[in-house]
Amino acid sequence: MRSSFFDIRATASDPAAIEAQARYLEEGLLEVKHGKIVSLRPWLEAEAALPGCAIIDRRGMLIVPGFIDCHIHYPQTEMVGAFGEQLLSWLENYTFPTESHYRSPQHAAAMSEFFLQQLLRNGTTSALVFGTVHPESVEALFQAAERHAMRLIAGKVMMDRHAPDDLLETPEESYRQTRALIRRWHGRGRLGYALTPRFAPTSSPALLERVSQLHQEFPDTWIHTHLAENPQEVAWVKRLFPAQRGYLDVYHHYRLTGARSVFAHCLHLEEEEWHCLQQTDSAIAFCPTSNLFLGSGLFNLQRSWQQQVRLGIGTDIGAGTTFNMLQTLGEAYKVGQLQNYKLHACEAFYHATLGGARALSLDHLIGNFMPGKEADFVMLQPTATPLQALRWGNSRDIWEKLFVLMTLGDDRTIAETWVNGQRAWRRDGTEENL
């Protein structure tokens, strides 16, 4: 495939190191075979060694690794843009009523396909996803993701208190249903399972014991939950778990921190909690549109670098207001500006690609165009709108061009999305494989 390419070749410990690992080829050739990256080379170097094979010509596009969404709720797709609440009342008035519909396999199947199509049309090829408390919700999502050959990690919500009765389960039911889902889906194709306690307030100590038991039985599963999103939530956790030192210590006490643990939000962390995240190699999902929409607070991106805590970007649909990673990065920039931190475009694209892969412990498989990686990528049309075309044309270098994409881009900027070496979505609907 002939086009322009941008990626980050290796993970980094600080923003300056990211820029040193950045690779931009104004004209390159990407070779893909059996769904894997074979090579990415400058066109002039590759042209001389080309066999007599057809080349897909996408000059005029910019191809980047597929975007990785590190925190998203697929059942909340149908309630995006719910007005007027902060976290706890938003859950009660909008989220829980919506999620009650997912006991229906038919509804879950229809929304799973709609959800995945929204990811693909926005250039997202991998995601860490919340289902609902119903096993049917995760069955449907995994079935749909398997059809698309997507690398997807998901789990059913585990929740036994402080929610409507029809969304509650016993710890034993949660253990039994989750265990069955793990055995059926975890490690099947490109799918992975995440143990998904909604958050500490909806988890009794008995339930958290069951989550811990499952993680000991299946140590290569992920942990996916929420942490310190809202000040009222933090205070509530302290009342519910007075024996623990703080919010994160609830999870840590039940051995739920670690290299495959991803905590969404982390806006109101105490000093000790930052240290615990770093010492346990846990990861954070930064969700700027959700944090702004619910008025939850501003994430301290600079602190995550200082503490060396792995980090990815989450859209957090449906408190988040867009599936589009370009728009999400634009909001992340504004969050940084409000704290006197200038999020460089190179760093932003790192968080949405290789950095996100590292946050999910998948950077050996996805996130850039290194040989052997899975061939997930997205073609960006830099001139999708007249304003983008104007700014792209007068941008001085690749950094300014990337910044224009993340501040002016949206779903119209996504021309094609490729998953596992096959085109999964294109604006004109045609198909083409590598």
Side-chain angles (χ1 to χ4, degrees), residues 413-431:
T413 311
I414 311 301
E416 301 180 25
T417 302
W418 289 66
V419 172
N420 207 32
Q422 298 185 359
R423 185 161 61 192
W425 187 87
R426 186 181 186 181
R427 288 206 162 269
D428 65 9
T430 60
E431 295 185 357

Side-chain angles (χ1 to χ4, degrees), residues 120-403:
L120 294 170
R121 75 178 289 117
N122 285 283
T124 297
T125 55
S126 295
L128 177 61
V129 188
F130 259 67
T132 70
V133 73
H134 314 100
E136 295 86 352
S137 70
V138 182
E139 287 279 359
L141 182 63
F142 278 140
Q143 289 169 8
E146 187 174 51
R147 289 195 299 272
H148 291 286
M150 293 181 74
R151 183 158 288 286
L152 199 82
I153 306 166
K156 85 167 209 71
V157 167
M158 306 174 77
M159 180 166 64
D160 71 336
R161 65 176 179 175
H162 299 139
D165 289 344
D166 64 341
L167 292 178
L168 296 180
E169 58 188 353
T170 68
E172 182 55 40
E173 286 172 333
S174 189
Y175 171 84
R176 186 179 66 253
Q177 293 176 350
T178 300
R179 193 175 194 278
L181 289 166
I182 293 169
R183 291 176 64 85
R184 185 153 54 252
W185 291 106
H186 184 57
R188 178 167 156 175
R190 303 183 75 201
L191 304 175
Y193 198 91
L195 298 167
T196 311
R198 175 168 234 117
F199 64 159
T202 55
S203 305
S204 70
L207 180 68
L208 292 173
E209 287 284 6
R210 285 305 207 179
V211 180
S212 181
Q213 181 181 350
L214 284 165
H215 198 41
Q216 298 307 306
E217 290 181 47
F218 303 97
D220 62 342
T221 54
W222 283 260
I223 301 290
H224 183 201
T225 190
H226 301 87
L227 174 63
E229 181 176 0
N230 174 285
Q232 289 73 39
E233 168 209 12
V234 172
W236 191 17
V237 171
K238 289 181 177 180
R239 293 194 300 271
L240 290 171
F241 295 90
Q244 266 60 65
R245 294 189 301 274
Y247 198 158
L248 181 58
D249 192 48
V250 174
Y251 299 129
H252 187 60
H253 174 76
Y254 291 99
R255 297 181 292 180
L256 302 181
T257 52
R260 290 199 169 204
S261 297
V262 181
F263 296 100
H265 306 300
C266 299
L267 302 179
H268 305 284
L269 296 178
E270 298 176 2
E271 189 75 21
E272 187 176 347
E273 293 174 315
W274 277 109
H275 292 305
C276 182
L277 289 170
Q278 189 275 328
Q279 290 165 5
T280 59
D281 197 26
S282 300
I284 292 173
F286 169 29
C287 307
T289 71
S290 169
N291 300 156
L292 294 171
F293 183 76
L294 292 180
S296 300
L298 304 176
F299 178 71
N300 191 336
L301 185 56
Q302 188 171 13
R303 186 67 187 276
S304 70
W305 283 116
Q306 293 167 348
Q307 293 292 150
Q308 290 293 290
V309 177
R310 292 178 298 128
L311 180 132
I313 300 288
T315 61
D316 195 25
I317 294 292
T321 52
T322 178
F323 280 85
N324 190 268
M325 193 59 73
L326 298 173
Q327 291 178 300
T328 303
L329 295 179
E331 296 304 294
Y333 173 79
K334 296 171 190 176
V335 168
Q337 281 282 73
L338 288 168
Q339 301 171 89
N340 201 31
Y341 181 81
K342 292 179 172 57
L343 176 61
H344 193 277
C346 185
E347 179 188 343
F349 274 80
Y350 172 79
H351 291 314
T353 57
L354 186 60
R358 182 169 179 254
L360 299 183
S361 299
L362 292 174
D363 49 304
H364 61 298
L365 296 174
I366 56 175
N368 59 20
F369 296 125
M370 299 304 287
K373 294 285 185 79
E374 296 167 351
D376 294 347
F377 51 90
V378 56
M379 296 182 188
L380 305 178
Q381 173 51 267
T383 58
T385 69
L387 183 58
Q388 283 185 51
L390 175 68
R391 285 293 288 116
W392 182 266
N394 63 25
S395 295
R396 295 165 294 180
D397 54 28
I398 184 58
W399 308 130
E400 190 170 354
K401 289 177 186 290
L402 291 173
F403 188 71

